Amino acid sequence: MQQNTFRLGDIQPGRNPRKYFDPVKMAEMVESVRQQGIIQPVLVRPLENGSHELVAGERRVRAAREAHGDDYEVPVVIRVMDEFEARSLALIENIQRDDMAPSEEAVSAAEIVGLCQGDRDEAARQLGWNRAMLDSRLALMNCSASVLEALNTRSIKLGHAELFAAFTKDQQDKLLPVVVKEGHSVADLKKVLERAACALSAAIFDKVDCAGCQHNSAAQAEMFGESIGTGSCTNRTCYNEKTEKQLEATATGLRDEYQTVRIVRPGDNHTRIQLVADGPKGVGSEQAKACYACQNFGAAVSGLPDSLGNVYKGQCFDTVCNMKKVAARIKSEKATEPATAKAATATGASKAVAPARNDKPGAAAPEATAVSESERVKAYRVALWRKALRRDIGANQELVRQYLIAIVATGQARCISETAFRAFWERLLDDKPPVSSFGKAADAAKAATPLAQENLIVAMLASAIEGVDVPYLTEMCRHHKLDLTKYWKLDKAFLDLITKSEMKVMADELGIRAAMGDDFKKVFAKSKPEVIEALLSVKDFDYDGKVLKVLKF
């Protein structure tokens, strides 16, 4: 990081989240800069084209431009950072200033939640807020543009905006002019919300039980039939509970198909993006194939008033990674443009074919092309390696001694699992090992039979295999040339860890699809438990000797 001065006109504008600049305060700053200049440097970052982009200090730059023009030499601090670091820093720098409008705080906070992959606790920590304040600000993200603008210009209070957020955007735009013109209080708007928020016509849950319910506002007049469509629920707690259950039921139904399924709430605007291969936001066809198997690929269920219960498939829940992949694709295409243009000229090509677009929200996503290495699959795989290695070595006393010596020689003796070894001791000697007395432990070992002593040495190695870290365990498996085909066969425990889409990839790899023939498609139209049962009971299929690539070391 270094300090310098740049001509104001040579600094490229950044992505300042602040939209509203108080005219009085800006006038005061312009006058201050006119008299004293800029004392505190602004923060910029170098770009690939040699120019510099503003990261923090937008108000100072605006004031200096008005007071002195583009030729003014402004003090700068240059810091090398990528686009995402710059965006995060700009957001946090602005949001921590006490004169930022709540609506602008909401927009900035939502972006930071996106940069944190939807982790609201981490976003709150970065912002220096408590979780309640973060959630309160993020709720404003469901406000319509006109409501946010009214909040920016202080035409309505924060309490109004927080209530507006519970309405659909159409309802907000109809109510806003009335609230502003007639000066309705927050309490007035709350009464309107209580009457309108639980309309049964908009409910996504089964309303059969609502027909004769005492909390149905239409029930007093008509207890059955069309009255349901025009009534409202006066028991908001019950209404919200039923809505949440329906949202969760919808999400549960998608979890057999996708690695990640989330119910998205107000403020989750930047936590997901439609994954597409082509177009301005495309990651490229090859990268897209890899993305389909990623743990951050899946579906979103809307918990927003305007789209309550809607399902959006083919979503990427790591927007930072997605943006980087898009940038990499664009950079790669630019690098190949000269060669492509030259080839086109040489062959007389005159017309380029536009790439296909697949960025329609909610479009069905392509199926997985690999079994993803989720945390659950990784844990299953490592447990398999440890178990197989213990069994393969345990019967060979010579190997046990050699490997135990190697483990101690490479500083891994500390990794011997005390819990595992004590369990082996208790099983072999039918007694608990002494906890702190060396003498008692030595006497107990001496009293053990030669066979029991040999088994305790095997137990030491087994305990070491249980305790070493994964890279060291992988090295042991490779050195030993461990044959997993002797210890693994497709089972329900593994199939429970993956989606139905990934099961198709697995079935191709093991040859199950070919063995099932025409029945394969019919089976996958069924529920996940039925698919698992069918995959484990294919007639005349030999499951032995087949190990998936995702389980190998």
Side-chain angles (χ1 to χ4, degrees), residues 304-358:
L304 307 174
D306 281 289
S307 53
L308 195 63
N310 287 359
V311 173
Y312 299 90
K313 299 180 179 181
Q315 303 290 294
C316 169
F317 289 98
D318 188 343
T319 56
V320 173
C321 177
N322 183 275
M323 287 186 283
K324 288 181 178 180
K325 299 302 183 188
V326 173
R329 190 264 306 164
I330 292 171
K331 185 176 181 180
S332 175
E333 287 179 356
K334 285 182 177 178
T336 59
E337 274 176 3
T340 304
K342 185 181 288 186
T345 303
T347 58
S350 60
K351 188 181 292 186
V353 178
R357 293 288 299 274
N358 183 31

Side-chain angles (χ1 to χ4, degrees), residues 14-72:
R15 299 172 184 80
N16 195 306
R18 189 185 295 270
K19 304 302 178 188
Y20 177 77
F21 295 85
D22 187 281
V24 176
K25 291 184 178 181
M26 278 304 301
E28 291 172 354
M29 179 171 276
V30 170
E31 189 58 31
S32 173
V33 171
R34 183 177 285 115
Q35 296 298 325
Q36 300 180 32
I38 291 184
I39 299 171
Q40 183 182 0
V42 301
L43 180 63
V44 300
R45 73 180 182 105
L47 302 176
E48 289 183 359
N49 61 9
S51 61
H52 290 79
E53 180 185 77
L54 182 66
V55 176
E58 173 80 11
R59 294 204 310 155
R60 278 164 280 161
V61 166
R62 286 182 177 228
R65 181 172 286 114
E66 185 173 338
H68 300 292
D70 281 344
D71 289 330
Y72 178 73

